[in-house]
Structures are given as structure tokens and as C-alpha cells.
Amino acid sequence: MKNTSLFIPILFLLSFSLLQTGQVSSFTQRNQEFEKSASSRTLEQEHEHAHEVHCSRERSRAAWKIIEEYLMPFLEQEHYEMSSKCRLHPDNDLFRDQEQHKIHLDINEWQCGYCKKSFRAEKFLDQHFDNRHYNLLNVSGSKCLADLCGALHCDVVMNTKSSKTKCNPAAAARNHHLCEGLADSCFPINQGPSARRLNEAIKCILSGYFHTDFDAAPYFLSDSLFAPKRDENGNPRS
């Protein structure tokens, strides 16, 4: 009888211990499942967020190349400060900060300036930006430069459009309107001689001359801006 009375409390304690262990194990399993689920949701949200930005990085890069190579030197030469409200302003490039955080170490080595991770090609670094650093995009305050490609002729820079492609009158009219809008908003003629010269030259260069000879565009722009204007007799105008 004595042994039996000792056995019952021991059995009770053992059962209680197993029950507690089972509860802890169950809790641990549920916690792991929750963490796994939360992690999965985070990755899904990152993936979804990366696709919320409907702006071509490649075409935006081409647009910026045109602005940087064919416009900025003349702004500097004219000492003209472009308003941040102008869509051609660097601050209005959605991808500008990320592009400035690209480190090109070698022909097959690109590095992320944010986290120093290396990639063998620029396109993989672009994907890395989209997946890991999308939160650094200023989607609220920036604009998509790719939207200006019709006026800036990005296809010429990217070599994606054949010179034999037929002209679309509707698209040409739309791009012409966009060119004039950019010139008038970025270089208002009431802002002085520099703005007026830039306004006239940009309208001319964007609306037509890039179609004929893209490589000659900077020389034409320079002549439009800085060559003395002449009257009908060929004499320089005052």
C-alpha cells in the first residue's frame, strides 16, 4: 500500500511534465510556423511593392543620358539654374539616387553602394535594387523620366528603333506638344536671355533635329545657343 501511494503522485507529476512538454513543443512549433508565415508575407510584400513602380529603369536611364550629355553642359555654360519643378531636373528622376549608388568596379563586376553586394552584370544589380532597396525610391516626389522618352528620343540612344520605322503622325504631334511643354516650363522666356535662348534651342533640337542626326545634336544646340544671330543681310544682330 505504501509503494502504491508513492507511485500515484510520481505518475501524476510525470503526466503533468509530459503535458507541459507537449504544450511547449506545440507552442514552439506554432511560433516557428508563424515566423515562417510572417517571413513569407514579407517577401511577398517586397515582391509586390517592387512591381508597384510602373516606370522603366532602362528607358529612364536612356533619358537621363540624353539630359546629362546634351543639355547639362549648356546649362552650366549659361550659368542657368534649372527649377526643381522642371521635369528634366535630376531630382525628378525616380531612379537617380539608386543610379548614383552603382559602383562599376570592372567589366563584369558591379557593386551596390548601399550594402556593398557584388554582381557580375548591371541588370542583376538593377534587380537587386528592385527587390532589396525599393524602399529608397522617392515614389511620392519623383517622376518617371521614361515618360519623356517620346520627346527625348530615347530609342535612338538605346538603338531600339529602326531608322526605317514609319512616322506615326499622332505620336509625332504628341511628342511635339511634350517638347514645347518641357521648353516652356523649364526655360520660361520671361526669365531672361539665357532662358529664352535655351527655350528656342530645346524646342528645335527636341522636336526635329534628333530625328536627323543624333550625333550632331550637341553641335547644333551649341550653334543655336551661342552663335550670333544674323539679319537678312548676314550681319550680326545686336
Side-chain angles (χ1 to χ4, degrees):
M1 180 67 68
K2 186 176 181 180
N3 292 338
T4 304
S5 60
L6 289 174
F7 176 74
I8 293 175
I10 292 172
L11 183 61
F12 176 77
L13 289 173
L14 182 60
S15 300
F16 181 76
S17 177
L18 289 173
L19 179 62
Q20 289 292 98
T21 301
Q23 289 177 345
V24 171
S25 176
S26 176
F27 175 78
T28 302
Q29 183 178 358
R30 288 198 302 271
N31 189 51
Q32 290 175 343
E33 291 176 353
F34 175 79
E35 290 178 352
K36 184 177 179 180
S37 176
S39 176
S40 176
R41 283 198 303 273
T42 300
L43 290 174
E44 289 176 1
Q45 288 169 358
E46 288 181 357
H47 181 71
E48 290 173 1
H49 195 107
H51 291 280
E52 286 177 3
V53 180
H54 300 289
C55 181
S56 167
R57 184 187 294 272
E58 186 180 10
R59 291 179 70 77
S60 292
R61 186 158 51 231
W64 175 250
K65 180 180 179 181
I66 294 168
I67 295 169
E68 185 176 40
E69 293 186 6
Y70 296 96
L71 177 60
M72 289 302 180
F74 298 104
L75 293 181
E76 293 173 3
Q77 193 166 342
E78 280 283 278
H79 303 290
Y80 185 84
E81 186 173 347
M82 190 162 46
S83 168
S84 60
K85 293 181 180 179
C86 171
R87 294 187 65 183
L88 301 174
H89 193 281
D91 289 347
N92 291 323
D93 177 10
L94 179 66
F95 301 108
R96 183 84 335 249
D97 187 71
Q98 289 189 350
E99 290 293 315
Q100 290 175 335
H101 279 81
K102 285 182 175 179
I103 304 172
H104 195 186
L105 299 173
D106 204 348
I107 187 170
N108 291 320
E109 186 176 4
W110 292 77
Q111 189 178 72
C112 171
Y114 297 117
C115 63
K116 307 306 178 185
K117 189 171 182 179
S118 295
F119 302 87
R120 67 176 183 271
E122 186 178 16
K123 65 178 181 179
F124 298 124
L125 179 53
D126 287 341
Q127 293 170 4
H128 170 74
F129 282 148
D130 290 339
N131 295 326
R132 298 302 300 274
H133 301 300
Y134 63 86
N135 58 308
L136 298 175
L137 292 176
N138 183 15
V139 281
S140 60
S142 297
K143 298 290 192 299
C144 178
L145 275 188
D147 292 343
L148 307 181
C149 274
L152 297 174
H153 309 288
C154 299
D155 292 318
V156 182
V157 172
M158 299 170 67
N159 295 318
T160 57
K161 195 171 185 179
S162 171
S163 59
K164 297 181 180 180
T165 302
K166 292 183 179 180
C167 177
N168 182 326
R174 188 166 56 249
N175 291 336
H176 181 76
H177 179 73
L178 179 58
C179 290
E180 292 198 337
L182 286 172
D184 290 338
S185 61
C186 295
F187 313 108
I189 58 176
N190 61 354
Q191 295 295 316
S194 293
R196 186 165 54 252
R197 286 197 295 271
L198 284 162
N199 182 290
E200 294 174 357
I202 292 302
K203 281 182 180 178
C204 185
I205 198 85
L206 291 184
S207 62
Y209 205 76
F210 276 166
H211 286 299
T212 13
D213 190 347
F214 190 80
D215 291 331
Y219 304 104
F220 179 82
L221 180 57
S222 178
D223 183 70
S224 298
L225 288 173
F226 305 115
K229 304 300 181 184
R230 298 180 181 274
D231 59 22
E232 57 184 9
N233 298 319
N235 299 315
R237 291 178 181 173
S238 55

